[in-house]
Amino acid sequence: MAAKDDSATELNKNICMFIVTKYFNPFKINGTETSLNKYAEACDLSSSTISKIGSQEGYNIPLSTIYAITQFQKIDLDTFFKEFLIQFPNHKADISKD
């Protein structure tokens, strides 16, 4: 069971890293740099959630949080995950295994 836990932890860390590099560095609203607090408010998330996403330890990010960010960024989840898998191809599922 530990291997599954490690895999999920790595996935969560990589999703957070992807979000940070793609959307949080720097925080922008309508193309203008802004603060973490203003960005969080615009996404309808708490600033502590945004901070957790950027933490080195990683964050068990809920899909609802990813959805809030993608809605604010005006991209769909399909695009988000396609771009994520381009950057982190090791997370593609091997459908040939049971």
Side-chain angles (χ1 to χ4, degrees):
M1 190 67 144
K4 269 191 170 176
D5 291 343
D6 290 345
S7 179
T9 299
E10 180 184 356
L11 174 63
N12 278 306
K13 282 184 176 183
N14 289 338
I15 288 174
C16 290
M17 187 184 321
F18 174 73
I19 290 170
V20 167
T21 57
K22 182 125 177 118
Y23 304 115
F24 293 1
N25 196 10
F27 296 106
K28 288 187 178 184
I29 298 175
N30 298 321
T32 303
E33 285 190 37
T34 191
S35 69
L36 177 150
N37 289 336
K38 288 182 182 178
Y39 184 87
E41 185 178 321
C43 289
D44 199 26
L45 296 169
S46 69
S47 57
S48 65
T49 296
I50 300 293
S51 293
K52 287 177 189 176
I53 293 169
S55 74
Q56 291 295 317
E57 300 82 45
Y59 171 56
N60 189 8
I61 188 167
L63 186 56
S64 59
T65 300
I66 296 169
Y67 182 75
I69 293 166
T70 59
Q71 288 297 291
F72 175 71
Q73 295 293 333
K74 296 181 175 70
I75 65 163
D76 56 40
L77 287 170
D78 185 52
T79 301
F80 174 87
F81 284 109
K82 281 180 182 176
E83 291 177 358
F84 169 76
L85 289 172
I86 289 169
Q87 189 168 342
F88 295 94
N90 57 315
H91 291 295
K92 288 185 180 178
D94 183 357
I95 60 172
S96 65
K97 290 184 179 179
D98 292 330

